[in-house]
Amino acid sequence: MPTQILNNFLLQKGIDKDLQIVLSAIARAGKYVCHAIETGDLGLAGTSNLFGEDQLALDVLADKIFTEHLKATDLVNKIASEEKQQAETFSEKNKFCIAFDPLDGSSLVDTNLAIGAIFAIWEGNDFIGKKGKDMKAACYLVFGPRTTLTIATKQKVWEFALNQLGEFSLQRDDIYVIEKTKTFSPGNLRAIKEREDYKNLVNAWQNQQLTLRYSGGMVPDIHSILAKGNGIFSYPSFSKYPYGKLRLLFECAPFAFIMEKAGGLAKDEQGNNILDLEIKEIHQRTTIFIGSKEEVNRCEKYLKR
Ligand code: FBP
């Protein structure tokens, strides 16, 4: 099969022209971020984000790079970045609202493990009141030994890899996650000390002799599920994070959209579909159980919230 380059591929698939431009801008910006990760200064930027977490210079840089590339499309109405407290309006007349986490898992930068960036794309002029299921598209970049870009539209999920010519070429067509899982990625195991229900769930996974796959970065952990076609990733609440740690807008909603398009499912610990949760504030957090459908539904039976 001849190599399929991102732009040609999106054109062939009949993806909305404006969406094509936005996705290409994300891909282009991703190359600069990849270069910054490979060659940049890993020192602290000397600033904290609004949650008091240290920002690495790379967080700041990645945020700036994605923001500038999205602004240059002249198609973006508002952006919201995990690194900033408020959404920023570019132009009220423009078509898209785009939320992104420019460098998820930045605490892993010094360990040289894979990290990533996540994007959620809506039409309209605000994030508030929207639901994940209203999304036009979602995508994420993995910065690992290879840089990959996975895109989900209303149609399907596709993965592209950055090749030696500096182009994103199609690597996986029509990604699909099966109902049963062979692996588990249990986030926030600290919660086990306080939560018998989560302890029982993790014990059940161990008793099933599932294989552990957990890196500490949501992007590579969920990418592993999509790449292997099965898996379960969890991040429940506990006293430190009563609503969970991960953000609905920047992390959970886009991954839930991608997972459902691939045949999987994402729910919170009350059993609500993540795609049905309304965005009430930019930095809203949620718990998440995401991956193979049967396993996500089984979690609900264990969890008592
Ligand atoms: P940040 O928003 O601080 O980057 O945290 C996100 C994240 O690193 C996820 O990628 C990961 O799944 C989770 O936090 C792990 O958190 P913890 O190690 O605190 O359980």
Side-chain angles (χ1 to χ4, degrees):
M1 197 175 65
T3 310
Q4 302 216 55
I5 303 305
L6 178 68
N7 290 355
N8 298 344
F9 183 84
L10 296 176
L11 189 68
Q12 268 173 33
K13 292 287 169 191
I15 307 290
D16 170 80
K17 260 253 152 50
D18 293 339
L19 184 57
Q20 280 183 43
I21 293 172
V22 164
L23 291 170
S24 299
I26 291 171
R28 207 170 326 110
K31 294 184 208 175
Y32 287 93
V33 175
C34 169
H35 183 74
I37 293 166
E38 284 174 0
T39 60
D41 175 9
L42 303 186
L44 293 175
T47 56
S48 298
N49 70 12
L50 53 151
F51 303 101
E53 298 153 336
D54 280 332
Q55 283 187 310
L56 296 173
L58 276 174
D59 297 60
V60 180
L61 189 59
D63 186 37
K64 202 165 147 37
I65 293 170
F66 286 122
T67 300
E68 281 171 8
H69 279 77
L70 289 172
K71 190 172 188 179
T73 63
D74 213 12
L75 288 165
V76 181
N77 184 317
K78 266 194 183 64
I79 56 159
S81 161
E82 207 215 10
E83 293 301 327
K84 294 194 189 107
Q85 186 155 18
Q86 310 280 358
E88 185 182 345
T89 304
F90 292 155
S91 168
E92 294 281 357
K93 66 174 178 27
N94 287 349
K95 186 165 171 177
F96 298 114
C97 280
I98 303 182
F100 59 95
D101 184 348
L103 209 61
D104 184 78
S106 52
S107 65
L108 296 175
V109 168
D110 56 355
T111 66
N112 205 15
L113 285 167
I115 49 179
I118 316 160
F119 298 81
I121 304 170
W122 282 271
E123 281 188 8
N125 53 18
D126 208 351
F127 301 101
I128 308 303
K130 291 273 191 324
K131 293 182 177 171
K133 66 179 178 195
D134 307 325
M135 227 176 273
K136 185 89 180 155
C139 63
Y140 65 89
L141 286 144
V142 181
F143 304 111
R146 302 192 78 175
T147 295
T148 61
L149 171 64
T150 303
I151 297 176
T153 65
K154 298 267 180 211
Q155 293 182 24
K156 279 181 179 181
V157 186
W158 304 289
E159 184 192 311
F160 302 84
L162 190 58
N163 64 25
Q164 69 275 34
L165 300 173
E167 296 161 325
F168 280 96
S169 58
L170 185 68
Q171 177 156 277
R172 283 195 186 92
D173 197 0
D174 197 5
I175 290 178
Y176 190 74
V177 172
I178 59 169
E179 297 218 353
K180 286 185 191 294
T181 186
K182 296 179 209 148
T183 63
F184 70 127
S185 312
N188 199 17
L189 279 179
R190 288 163 291 193
I192 277 178
K193 188 156 190 277
E194 301 171 12
R195 292 192 54 176
E196 197 67 19
D197 58 348
Y198 191 45
K199 186 173 168 185
N200 291 338
L201 176 59
V202 174
N203 279 344
W205 286 332
Q206 287 178 313
N207 289 335
Q208 280 172 264
Q209 295 188 309
L210 300 183
T211 302
L212 178 67
R213 287 287 175 266
Y214 188 75
S215 76
M218 188 188 195
V219 177
D221 285 336
I222 294 195
H223 179 66
S224 166
I225 298 174
L226 291 155
K228 298 291 184 191
N230 75 87
I232 177 87
F233 171 92
S234 56
Y235 208 105
S237 65
F238 78 137
S239 52
K240 186 175 174 195
Y241 299 125
Y243 303 102
K245 176 185 181 187
L246 302 168
R247 275 73 161 183
L248 176 62
L249 182 61
F250 307 107
E251 293 157 328
C252 298
F255 270 129
F257 181 90
I258 296 166
M259 193 56 75
E260 278 214 7
K261 292 295 154 213
L265 185 61
K267 289 188 172 179
D268 67 9
E269 66 189 16
Q270 282 79 30
N272 302 303
N273 189 314
I274 296 283
L275 293 180
D276 289 331
L277 301 180
E278 188 180 316
I279 292 149
K280 299 196 174 103
E281 50 173 310
I282 301 287
H283 287 279
Q284 184 173 337
R285 300 185 192 237
T286 179
T287 54
I288 188 165
F289 295 79
I290 179 168
S292 291
K293 217 182 242 175
E294 194 180 294
E295 203 53 44
V296 172
N297 284 326
R298 220 161 67 93
C299 294
E300 209 182 322
K301 299 196 183 101
Y302 278 84
L303 300 168
K304 310 249 178 296
R305 302 227 164 178

